[in-house]
Structures are given as C-alpha cells and as structure tokens.
C-alpha cells in the first residue's frame, strides 16, 4: 500500500517537473497550449527580409517563427527557403498547433489593405517627394510593452505614429482593414477612439483622435481605407474632450481572440511596416 502512495507521489513530482521543463524550455515546446501566446509571439518580429517579399505567406511565417524563436529580424534567404521542410515536420508532430498559429498570423495580416496615414495628394506638401518640411512623414518606432505611467504603472500595448510639428486634426486616419465598428466614443486612456473588427477576427484600435470623420454607429460596416477621423491628442482624462496631455499622435492597437485570451495585444510595429506597401494618397 505504502509502495503505491510512494509511486503516485514520485509520479506527481515528475509531472510537476515536466511542466516546469516545458515552460522554461520553449524551444522544446513552442506550440504548447500557452507558449505561442506569450511575449515572444506578441512582439511579431518579422524583420525587413520577410517584408521585402511581395507576398507574406502566413504558413511560412508560422513555421519560421517556431524554428527561430519568434524572431525573424536576422533571417537569411537560405534560412527562409527551409520553411517547407519545417512545416512538414510540424505537421507530422503538432498539426493542430501549427495550424492554429498559422491562423493567428492570417487573422492579423490577411485583411490589411491600407497604411493608416495617407500621403498628401498635394505635391507641395507630400513627404513622398523629398519629405518636404510642410508635411513630414509621420514617424513611428517599436515601443511595444515599454512602460507608461498615466493612471499607475502599465505597459504600452500598441504603436504610436507621430505627426511631427502639426496641429491636431491635420492628418487623416484611415482604416487599415475592412470590417465592422465594434467600439466608438470616449475612453479615459484612449480619448476619442474607434475599434474595427476585421473579417478574419483581429481587432484594430485607433486612439487619441481629434475628431471622427462621421458619426460612427456600432456594427456599421467600413471598407479598407475608409476615413475614420483625424489624428489628435485626446485622452488621459475622465472628462470628454480632454486634450493636450501628450504630443499629437495616432495610437494603434491590434488584438486577437485566442484560446486563453479574449483580447491578446500584439505588437503593431512590424504590422505597420508590412502595411506600408498599401500606402494611399489623400487630399489634405
Ligand atoms: Zn500609444
């Protein structure tokens, strides 16, 4: 009798050890129940190499991300070409998990058809033509999960596009995808914000707007490139129309529904880099 208890005890210790092992050795368990939803996945490190290809193949991205610890920024062309073999191995070992990961990348990328800030159609202002000083190219950098301090310590779950030296209301903000308006109105942190649910399931959140282009209704349909509103500096206040607490910019957030999270935020920085291929022109 004591022998059986001892055996069970030893088994449970062994199991606890295994779980620990899986969690601390993600390279041995990349597609486990939780691991692909962790920070390394959320950082979306695609890199310039993958983005220089004319098509983004989500099956290739999923296979290569697993193989390279979710960081493809230094991927070589030779390494890229290995993806069909990596995919075959994953399909033999963890087909459901591999397909789920591929689906997550599709959710993010396949509906994107527009960069959120257009080029000015006015040739004198256009930053396309030598980035004239009158309307410089909006800038953005990777600030995902950097600390922010308004209303307690938290992390930046998005990417900021700055309209340099321009008053609020100058830059148009376009919908990167088609989809439906899911949330609209004032938020203490986000100011005047609008959230679009794209057809494949990702949620695109545009914050700190100066004003909306029209009175958006929840569940209203938008098309890719639809004028949502104008870049501003609203937010950081309970009171509606609080402005001026930070420089004018667009805050972009991208969220995914997954098995364990209703809204898992992912880094929009490399997604924005990808969407630069869909830059549009607008009169402003
Ligand atoms: Zn932000």
């Amino acid at each position: 009798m004591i022998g059986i208890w001892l055996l069970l005890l030893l088994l449970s210790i062994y199991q606890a050890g295994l779980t620990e092992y899986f969690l601390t050795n993600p390279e041995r368990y990349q597609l486990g129940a939780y691991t692909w939803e962790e920070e390394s996945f959320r950082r979306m490190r695609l890199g310039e190499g993958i983005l220089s290809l004319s098509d983004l193949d989500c099956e290739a991205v999923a296979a290569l991300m697993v193989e390279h610890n979710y960081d493809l920024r230094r991927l070589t062309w030779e390494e890229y070409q290995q993806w069909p073999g990596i995919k075959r191995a994953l399909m033999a070992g963890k087909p459901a998990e591999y397909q789920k990961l591929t689906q997550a990348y599709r959710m993010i990328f396949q509906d994107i058809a527009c960069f959120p800030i257009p080029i000015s159609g006015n040739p004198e202002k256009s930053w396309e033509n030598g980035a004239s000083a009158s309307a410089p190219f909006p800038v953005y950098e990777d600030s995902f999960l950097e600390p922010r301090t308004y209303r307690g310590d938290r992390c930046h779950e998005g990417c900021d596009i700055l309209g340099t030296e321009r008053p609020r209301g100058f830059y148009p903000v376009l919908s990167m995808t088609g989809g439906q308006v899911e949330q609209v109105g004032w938020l203490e942190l986000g100011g005047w914000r609008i959230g679009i649910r794209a057809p494949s399931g990702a949620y695109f959140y545009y914050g700190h707007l100066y004003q909306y282009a029209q009175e958006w209704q929840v569940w209203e349909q938008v098309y890719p490139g639809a004028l949502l509103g104008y870049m501003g500096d609203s937010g950081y206040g309970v009171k509606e129309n609080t402005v001026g607490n930070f420089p004018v910019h667009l805050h972009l957030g991208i969220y995914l529904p997954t098995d364990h999270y209703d809204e898992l935020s992912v880094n929009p920085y490399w997604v924005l880099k990808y969407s630069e291929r869909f830059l549009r022109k607008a009169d402003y």
Side-chain angles (χ1 to χ4, degrees):
M1 194 64 188
I2 289 173
I4 290 172
W5 285 112
L6 192 65
L7 187 66
L8 284 174
L9 180 71
L10 284 174
L11 262 178
S12 68
I13 289 172
Y14 175 64
Q15 280 222 322
L18 260 190
T19 309
E20 172 83 7
Y21 175 76
F22 283 145
L23 290 176
T24 52
N25 293 275
E27 73 279 10
R28 302 272 175 213
Y29 202 60
Q30 291 277 13
L31 298 183
Y34 291 89
T35 50
W36 75 264
E37 294 172 339
E38 287 177 355
E39 195 177 315
S40 50
F41 163 77
R42 293 168 63 206
R43 288 189 177 274
M44 291 286 135
R45 287 172 165 151
L46 283 143
E48 305 285 354
I50 284 264
L51 295 183
S52 68
L53 301 172
S54 58
D55 281 318
L56 190 74
D57 184 329
C58 290
E59 287 198 317
V61 171
L64 291 165
M65 284 290 195
V66 171
E67 182 73 6
H68 296 276
N69 287 316
Y70 293 87
D71 188 350
L72 305 182
R73 289 173 301 172
R74 302 204 197 300
L75 192 75
T76 64
W77 175 238
E78 286 66 35
E79 287 168 331
Y80 177 80
Q81 289 170 305
Q82 306 296 315
W83 80 264
I86 302 165
K87 177 194 163 181
R88 269 194 299 279
L90 287 167
M91 283 300 282
K94 295 173 186 282
E97 291 85 347
Y98 169 68
Q99 283 163 348
K100 202 176 276 184
L101 183 65
T102 304
Q103 197 49 38
Y105 288 115
R106 287 205 180 108
M107 235 190 265
I108 298 165
F109 290 103
Q110 74 182 3
D111 296 325
I112 290 177
C114 184
F115 187 78
I117 310 296
I119 301 173
S120 171
N122 181 337
E124 280 179 20
K125 289 191 196 168
S126 175
W127 30 257
E128 191 185 34
N129 294 333
S132 88
S134 59
F137 190 97
V139 291
Y140 60 99
E141 52 185 44
D142 192 349
S143 61
F144 191 65
L145 301 183
E146 278 181 6
R148 289 288 192 272
T149 50
Y150 177 79
R151 218 177 59 177
D153 288 339
R154 58 198 179 83
C155 287
H156 190 230
E157 295 191 58
C159 187
D160 295 335
I161 306 178
L162 277 89
T164 41
E165 297 172 56
R166 277 287 160 187
R168 52 182 79 110
F170 178 78
Y171 290 102
V173 173
L174 310 182
S175 182
M176 297 174 72
T177 67
Q180 281 182 319
V181 177
E182 191 168 297
Q183 310 254 22
V184 65
W186 184 261
L187 270 189
E188 182 183 351
L189 281 175
W192 295 117
R193 60 81 159 86
I194 185 165
I196 308 294
R197 182 72 61 182
S200 303
Y203 181 72
F204 290 77
Y205 168 105
Y206 307 83
H208 308 315
L209 298 182
Y210 167 67
Q211 59 178 192
Y212 297 114
Q214 62 182 78
E215 256 188 57
W216 294 106
Q217 307 296 322
V218 171
W219 301 125
E220 195 166 340
Q221 202 73 30
V222 299
Y223 51 88
L227 176 63
L228 299 174
Y230 295 89
M231 191 192 282
D233 57 348
S234 62
Y236 283 21
V238 183
K239 207 167 144 264
E240 286 192 1
N241 284 323
T242 302
V243 295
N245 286 330
F246 44 77
V248 170
H249 72 278
L250 170 68
H251 172 94
L252 175 71
I254 302 177
Y255 297 86
L256 296 186
T258 70
D259 289 348
H260 306 99
Y261 301 91
D262 292 337
E263 293 186 306
L264 179 71
S265 64
V266 298
N267 186 2
Y269 176 77
W270 290 102
V271 183
L272 278 167
K273 287 266 174 204
Y274 166 75
S275 77
E276 280 189 17
R277 67 186 64 193
F278 304 114
L279 211 50
R280 298 199 182 194
K281 227 171 219 171
D283 288 328
Y284 67 92

